[in-house]
Amino acid sequence: VATHFSQATPGAANGFGEPIVLEMEASPDLPAFADDIVVEAEIVFPPNTQPAFVDLVYRVSYQAESQVSMADDGLGSDQVAGDGIWTGTIPAGVASPLKMLRWRVVAEDSNGATGLPPPFVDPLGSPQYGGTVIEADTVVSEIPVIHLFCESNGQSQTTSGSQSSVLYNGQFYDNILVKRRGASSSTWPKKSFKFDFNRGDRFQFSEDENRVSEFNLNSTWSDKAFLRQTLAFEAYEAADAKGCESFMVRVNRGGSFYSLAAFIEQPDEDLLIREGLDPNGALYKMFTDLGN
């Protein structure tokens, strides 16, 4: 039987360990305002211990947390008693349409040891919650939609950035870093941003491509045609020159429309791999003002 030890004890007994929350699943994937959200978690408790409690903790946007109890008794939304799959229900209506709703599971055993997912090891480098956006699919757009929620919108527009969450193409990414990018564009009313994702929870911008650790959203403040950046990269591709993937996206921030922006693939080893180049090869960034 597996167990988890958050603290190493070299030269001493291991103790009893902690509960392991192996996996969380929630349904429906894109809930409506009137939908309950059922969360299932597979939990393994250390040998010779019993469950003390399992709670489903949920949070609307960046408000205070609330919680409900989870059960493995085969009653209500729990399907099979005693199978190690614990079930809890977040009641419908706790979050308004286009608002973010997140959750985590806390399990404690009879020795007082606690386990919780996701593995929130580093506050600046791992997800803290699973989550979704209520009625996210009601945003009608002919281009992809990024739902962005920043702990501080103002801080996200600085080079230090803000911890944030993103829903894109039905996938939720928690506790990522969003910060301002660019030099002269930093003075524009609509900023350009860099999105930095957690290891093990990388971003998938296309079902046909590998996940990436970073991407950029470039402002179109100076491009009223909303075409030049994407067309430039398409021209490079047509000329058989390696370049970034680029396409236009709609950005909803905090539940409201924020901007149209150009998705720009980060020029790094992920791009080199996608283009069939050596990820350890030379990669240069050029800057020029087109002067003499």
Side-chain angles (χ1 to χ4, degrees):
V1 177
T3 191
H4 176 259
F5 299 92
S6 60
Q7 300 293 329
T9 56
N14 285 330
F16 293 100
E18 303 155 1
I20 305 174
V21 185
L22 295 176
E23 187 176 2
M24 290 193 307
E25 293 185 356
S27 61
D29 293 331
L30 296 175
F33 178 71
D35 289 335
D36 291 337
I37 299 176
V38 178
V39 178
E40 296 180 333
E42 182 179 358
I43 304 175
V44 176
F45 287 87
N48 303 316
T49 68
Q50 298 295 322
F53 68 82
V54 178
D55 285 340
L56 175 60
V57 180
Y58 63 91
R59 187 179 188 187
V60 178
S61 295
Y62 294 98
Q63 299 175 17
E65 292 183 333
S66 301
Q67 64 187 47
V68 294
S69 296
M70 303 183 76
D72 184 18
D73 55 10
L75 302 176
S77 55
D78 188 61
Q79 298 184 24
V80 180
D83 64 349
I85 307 297
W86 293 71
T87 307
T89 301
I90 301 174
V94 298
S96 302
L98 300 184
K99 295 300 182 182
M100 177 175 65
L101 178 62
R102 298 180 292 169
W103 53 81
R104 59 188 180 93
V105 174
V106 179
E108 184 172 303
D109 65 24
S110 51
N111 289 322
T114 301
L116 63 163
F120 189 48
V121 178
D122 179 0
L124 300 179
S126 56
Q128 185 178 9
Y129 300 92
T132 190
V133 175
I134 304 300
E135 297 192 354
D137 52 354
T138 62
V139 177
V140 178
S141 174
E142 294 186 5
I143 60 175
V145 179
I146 290 179
H147 294 273
L148 170 63
F149 295 84
C150 300
E151 190 167 4
S152 169
N153 289 337
Q155 192 69 18
S156 72
Q157 299 183 156
T158 69
T159 55
S160 57
S162 170
Q163 297 309 115
S164 306
S165 299
V166 162
L167 179 74
Y168 178 77
N169 197 26
Q171 297 188 50
F172 185 80
Y173 306 87
D174 184 53
N175 198 38
I176 66 172
L177 181 65
V178 175
K179 59 184 178 180
R180 191 190 74 216
R181 71 180 301 268
S184 60
S185 64
S186 65
T187 63
W188 297 348
K190 288 292 178 71
K191 312 298 183 186
S192 296
F193 296 97
K194 178 177 291 293
F195 289 65
D196 191 355
F197 289 79
N198 299 307
R199 290 177 295 177
D201 192 25
R202 288 151 56 95
F203 183 76
Q204 187 168 33
F205 68 87
S206 169
E207 294 179 354
D208 299 324
E209 303 293 349
N210 293 329
R211 293 177 179 268
V212 298
S213 59
E214 297 178 68
F215 73 81
N216 306 293
L217 284 186
N218 278 6
S219 173
T220 57
W221 186 255
S222 64
D223 177 17
K224 305 310 179 187
F226 301 103
L227 291 172
R228 295 172 184 168
Q229 297 181 77
T230 296
L231 283 179
F233 284 111
E234 290 181 355
Y236 298 157
E237 189 71 24
D240 200 26
K242 309 302 184 184
C244 302
E245 288 286 313
S246 177
F247 50 88
M248 294 300 297
V249 297
R250 168 182 171 141
V251 183
N252 267 39
R253 190 176 71 176
S256 302
F257 173 76
Y258 175 69
S259 73
L260 297 179
F263 174 97
I264 307 291
E265 180 184 11
Q266 176 68 11
D268 59 11
E269 61 272 14
D270 291 328
L271 181 149
L272 295 176
I273 292 171
R274 183 182 62 77
E275 292 283 13
L277 301 172
D278 182 359
N280 297 315
L283 180 63
Y284 299 96
K285 180 178 181 180
M286 182 186 73
F287 176 80
T288 176
D289 59 5
L290 301 180
N292 294 327

